[in-house]
Amino acid sequence: MSDYEFFDQVNKGFDRAAKYSEYDQGLLDQIKICNNVYHITFPLERDDGSIKVIHGWRVEHSHHKLPTKGGIRFSTTVNEDETMALAALMTYKCAVVDVPFGGAKGGIKIERSEYSDAEIERITRRYTYELIKKDFLGPGSDVPAPDYGTGAREMGWVLDTYRQLKSDINAEACVTGKPIPQGGVRGRTEATGRGVYFGVREACQNKEDMKELGLEPGLEGKTFVIQGLGNVGYHAAQNMIQGGAVLVGVAEIEGSIYDSGGIDLEALMEYRDETGSIMGFNDTKAFEDNTAVLKAECDILIPAALENQLHADNAPDIKAKIIGEAANGPTTDEAHNILKEKGALIIPDSYLNAGGVTVSYFEWLKNLSHVRFGRMEKRFEESSYRKILNVIENISDRTFTEEEMGVLAQGADEKDLVDSGLEETMINAYNELNELRKRHDIDLRTAAFLSAIDKVGIIYNQMGIFP
Ligand code: GLU
């Protein structure tokens, strides 16, 4: 599909929802447009001494709230259109889950496996330096995070480069998804995948909605296929399995596999580590076509890789009743319409993968407050709970063992608080969107865009226009 334009696809969803909003076209155009688009090129000195020109982008889509926020992607798919689309999705995503940031995205167009670790470090640091020079990085202006092809290590380099150039007491808040010793927050790595699980679980708990799909309420026993075993896909699958769902299919770069009896995720991960491939794992049925399994029999399909995976060619054959968009933009506008026509419930990316940025928000708050969540209150909570348990012991003939006391009187630490904040966010946002969906008789994606348009528009409406 050579004429695929990702930003255009995002805007099609936006336009569908805009019809339900009260705002005039000028304001809608301002919400849609990308405020700043920065194309960076710089030379990389390769390990063998040769020079390679590297292309990178950073797009700040909307400044209605600051800082702007969004990951940095290292992939051959990166270009201006992709970065603009992903930045726009960040704006809508943050608005949907009430995370007070504008949207941004960055990317570097490389096949990362072709570069050594030292080269990746030089690329990351030089890109960071270029962002700083143009004020595209800072705790109050633009705050990156990991995305496809990047992780905590790269974010650590971003911070270190920023710190070398700026004397800023809040330097740690210039990037999220960092390693814990560099100001990261516990639970960030697994946050997007865990958020996907909370979102799908919430959808499955709605009896009325499940009845419409011809499914039993609850996640227990539901089969699912996942595309992508990266950070998001792996953690989503792991949480779904812990929640009672059964993994029956996996799609990866090298091919796809299916087993209606269930796939052991941890054993598969080990097998892939050893052999470099998922193909040939246990008794699974293998398909050379790496997207074939997306059309296999299952209740829930979770694309957790890149954009443009469910399109007009494969959508008619997709059997899943629930599509959980863990990736950004996995479904084209045409596929969205086909799947909707078939009666599927599409849980859209702009809601479902918002767990990552939600926990990034918690990390940023931690960095600005310079204190770990739970540090002040954990002990106090524990002693209060102990006092209450002692009163219960005094007025009843029940005595608690030290082990029971330990469990019942446990105060919340950083990991518990982050997880609780994430769960609360995902549940609230789902019900807000589902309510909007029913009120206007629209789908969840349109509801998510509508919710975002309302929340962003109200701020633009109140902003002064300066000469
Ligand atoms: N890259 C992630 C996303 O697409 C996280 C962004 C962030 O935490 O800023 O949502």
Side-chain angles (χ1 to χ4, degrees), residues 69-73 86 90 93 101 104-105 143-148 176-177 188 192 328 353-361:
K69 189 88 188 75
I72 299 172
R73 171 176 289 203
L86 293 167
M90 284 309 302
K93 192 186 303 189
F101 295 140
K105 201 75 168 201
V143 180
D147 198 82
Y148 190 91
T176 60
R188 174 62 185 87
T192 312
N328 287 309
N353 70 34
V357 75
T358 300
V359 175
S360 276
Y361 169 46

Side-chain angles (χ1 to χ4, degrees), residues 337-457:
N337 289 328
I338 295 168
L339 292 164
K340 197 181 153 190
E341 197 59 36
K342 283 164 61 113
L345 178 73
I346 307 171
I347 314 177
D349 49 359
S350 52
Y351 157 70
L352 195 64
N353 70 34
V357 75
T358 300
V359 175
S360 276
Y361 169 46
F362 301 154
E363 181 175 332
W364 182 77
L365 291 174
K366 172 188 181 180
N367 298 148
L368 291 178
S369 64
H370 300 265
V371 63
R372 167 171 49 81
F373 293 111
R375 178 167 176 177
M376 308 294 280
E377 57 275 51
K378 184 168 186 284
R379 294 271 153 188
F380 181 78
E381 271 178 14
E382 281 177 5
S383 75
S384 302
Y385 296 151
R386 272 181 188 271
K387 281 181 200 148
I388 296 169
L389 291 170
N390 287 337
V391 171
I392 294 172
E393 280 183 327
N394 288 342
I395 59 171
S396 69
D397 49 11
R398 177 82 161 88
T399 49
F400 298 106
T401 64
E402 206 27 61
E403 205 186 342
E404 284 174 326
M405 275 281 187
V407 174
L408 294 171
Q410 201 181 22
D413 62 17
E414 181 169 273
K415 202 169 189 324
D416 301 324
L417 291 167
V418 163
D419 199 51
S420 149
L422 174 61
E423 185 171 10
E424 167 77 2
T425 303
M426 295 308 292
I427 291 176
N428 282 352
Y430 187 82
N431 290 306
E432 192 178 310
L433 296 187
N434 209 21
E435 200 267 315
L436 212 52
R437 166 173 92 104
K438 290 183 181 174
R439 182 160 13 117
H440 293 284
D441 191 20
I442 50 182
D443 53 75
L444 277 176
R445 190 189 314 282
T446 310
F449 273 114
L450 182 57
S451 163
I453 290 170
D454 281 347
K455 290 172 184 173
V456 178

